Amino acid sequence: MSAPVVELDTDVAECGDVVSGRVSWGPVDKTPRQVVVELIYETSGRGDTDSEAVSEHVVAGADSGETRFTLSVPDDGPITFDGSLIRVAWRVEAKLDQAMQRDQRGSTAVTVLPAGGLALWARQVAPPPTVGPIGGSDAVPHDAGFEDPPPS
Amino acid sequence: MDRNEHESERRGIPLQRVLTDTSDRSKAIGLLVAVVVVGGFALIVAIAVGAAEAWPVLVPCVIALAILIPFAMRSARVWLGWENPQIYLPSSEPLHLGDHVVVRFRRRARGRAQAAGSKVTARIEVEEQATYQQGTDTHTAKDVVYRADVPVELHDVVDQAIEVDLAIDIPLAEAPPSMSLRNNDVVWRLVVDIEAPDAPDDESTFPLIVAPEIAQRLIDGGVGR
C-alpha cells in the first residue's frame, strides 16, 4: 500500500489566495471510495488544539491515479506563525477513503502569509518565515526567522 | 450619535468609528455590589446568630471587606471623576499589518474635576491567549508578545475634556494579526493612561482588530520591514 503523495505548485500562499498542486496515489490493495484533498490549519503549543479543514477537493476513487486540485485560503487566515504560546501551521492533506480499513493519508506543509505578503517578501528577495512540521520537536527555535531558499 | 460625537463632528474630526471603554463603570458597580453582598451577609449572620457566636463567619467577611472596600472606593472615584473614555478611528475597516494610523483619544472629567494639566501616555500591546483543559478545570495562559509606546500629541483641552492624537504604527512582522479560535487567540489592544492633577489616575483599554493583510502603502511602495 502506498500513501498518497501531495506535491504543491508552490509551498507559500497568502490569505484570500489559493493553494494548487497535484496528488498521486497507488497502487492500493483496496479501491478507495473517494480521494479527498483538504487544506487544514492546526494549532499547537500551550493551548488545546484548534484544527479545521477550510476547503476540500474530492474525486472518485481509483486503484491508482493522479488529480490536480485548487484549494482556497480564507481571507481571515489564520496565518502561519510560531509565537510564544501558540503555533499555527497549515498543511495540504490527501486521504484515500477506504471502506473497512484505516484511510491512507499523505500531507505537505504550506506556509500561509498575510494578504499581500507574497509581493512584499518576493521584492525583498527573501523567503517568508517558516515553522517546523506539525508535531515537530520543541527544539524548533521559537523565532524560526528566515531560511535559505531551496535550490530551484 | 451622542453629545460628544456631535461636538467632534463640528470640529472636523473624521469620525468613522468610535470605541468606548465602559469597564470603569462595570468595575465600580461590580465591586460595590460585592461590598454590599459581603457586608449584608455578615450583618444578617451577626443579627441572627449573635456576633460572639458568628465570628467564624464574620472574620473572613471582615477580611474580605478590608480588601474590597479600598478597591471599590477607588473604582467609584474613577467612575465619578471621569466620563467613559473614547477613541475615534478614521476608518471603520480593520487595521492592517504595517499600517500607520492616527486616532483621537477623548476623555471628559466630571463635576469640578478639570482635565487641564492631564498627562496622557499610550501603548499598543499584542497578547497571545491559550486556553487548555486540565481535568475538569479550564485555564488560560496569557503572554504579551509585543508592546510599543505610542506617540501622543495634545489636540485640545476644552470644557473639562481632553483630546489627544495617538499615532499608531502597526508592526509588519513583529507580531501576528488578530486571531480568534476556540482555544487560541491573538488580541491587540490600545492602552491609554491618564494622570490628572485633581482627578484619579486611570487606564483605559480599547480592542483593536488587525486583519491578516499587509497595508497597501507597503505593497505599493515596497518599503522593507
Side-chain angles (χ1 to χ4, degrees), chain A:
Chain A
M1 283 182 285
S2 64
V5 175
V6 178
E7 295 174 17
L8 302 177
D9 294 337
T10 173
D11 59 0
V12 182
E14 56 183 46
C15 295
D17 198 4
V18 295
V19 175
S20 60
R22 68 187 187 105
V23 173
S24 55
W25 70 96
V28 294
D29 58 350
K30 190 165 189 174
T31 304
R33 289 178 290 201
Q34 57 185 9
V35 178
V36 181
V37 187
E38 294 176 312
L39 178 61
I40 298 170
Y41 75 78
E42 185 170 322
T43 66
S44 59
R46 192 75 176 272
D48 289 344
T49 299
D50 287 310
S51 180
E52 184 182 355
V54 300
S55 56
E56 69 173 16
H57 172 84
V58 182
V59 297
D63 285 342
S64 65
E66 179 179 303
T67 182
R68 285 198 58 83
F69 60 85
T70 300
L71 302 168
S72 298
V73 182
D75 293 337
D76 56 353
I79 67 169
T80 300
F81 79 92
D82 185 7
S84 169
L85 302 176
I86 305 169
R87 171 187 288 189
V88 177
W90 287 82
R91 67 180 186 272
V92 174
E93 182 175 280
K95 177 177 68 175
L96 304 181
D97 181 10
Q98 296 172 295
M100 304 297 290
Q101 94 184 42
R102 181 172 291 184
D103 297 337
Q104 293 286 307
R105 296 170 189 263
S107 65
T108 294
V110 60
T111 299
V112 173
L113 302 177
L118 278 175
L120 198 65
W121 270 288
R123 225 183 349 254
Q124 292 178 337
V125 196
T130 59
V131 298
I134 294 172
S137 71
D138 289 339
V140 175
H142 163 77
D143 180 12
F146 284 95
E147 298 175 354
D148 291 333
S152 56

Side-chain angles (χ1 to χ4, degrees), chain A residues 48 50 84-85 115 123 146, chain B residues 128 131 143 184 214 219 225:
Chain A
D48 289 344
D50 287 310
S84 169
L85 302 176
R123 225 183 349 254
F146 284 95
Chain B
E128 292 183 20
T131 301
D143 189 17
N184 297 276
I214 307 291
I219 299 173
R225 293 175 58 180

Side-chain angles (χ1 to χ4, degrees), chain B residues 79-196:
Chain B
W79 182 27
L80 294 173
W82 295 103
E83 292 184 1
N84 288 328
Q86 293 180 313
I87 62 169
Y88 299 83
L89 292 100
S91 168
S92 59
E93 296 295 318
L95 300 170
H96 300 134
L97 298 168
D99 254 344
H100 173 79
V101 61
V102 178
V103 305
R104 181 155 298 162
F105 171 83
R106 187 175 196 277
R107 195 154 199 189
R108 176 190 289 273
R110 285 196 228 250
R112 287 175 291 180
Q114 293 295 317
S118 298
K119 179 186 170 191
V120 177
T121 57
R123 63 187 185 274
I124 56 170
E125 293 181 345
V126 181
E127 183 176 76
E128 292 183 20
Q129 300 176 353
T131 301
Y132 56 96
Q133 293 287 128
Q134 223 168 27
T136 56
D137 296 332
T138 300
H139 302 272
T140 299
K142 298 181 182 180
D143 189 17
V144 175
V145 297
Y146 179 82
R147 180 185 284 118
D149 291 333
V150 173
V152 176
E153 185 177 333
L154 178 66
H155 178 261
D156 203 0
V157 179
V158 64
D159 296 337
Q160 296 182 279
I162 181 169
E163 293 182 356
V164 297
D165 288 338
L166 309 174
I168 299 175
D169 281 307
I170 303 295
L172 178 60
E174 286 83 348
S178 301
M179 182 178 81
S180 179
L181 303 176
R182 186 166 51 200
N183 299 299
N184 297 276
D185 298 282
V186 174
V187 175
W188 286 69
R189 52 178 176 252
L190 173 66
V191 182
V192 184
D193 293 300
I194 189 165
E195 298 174 13

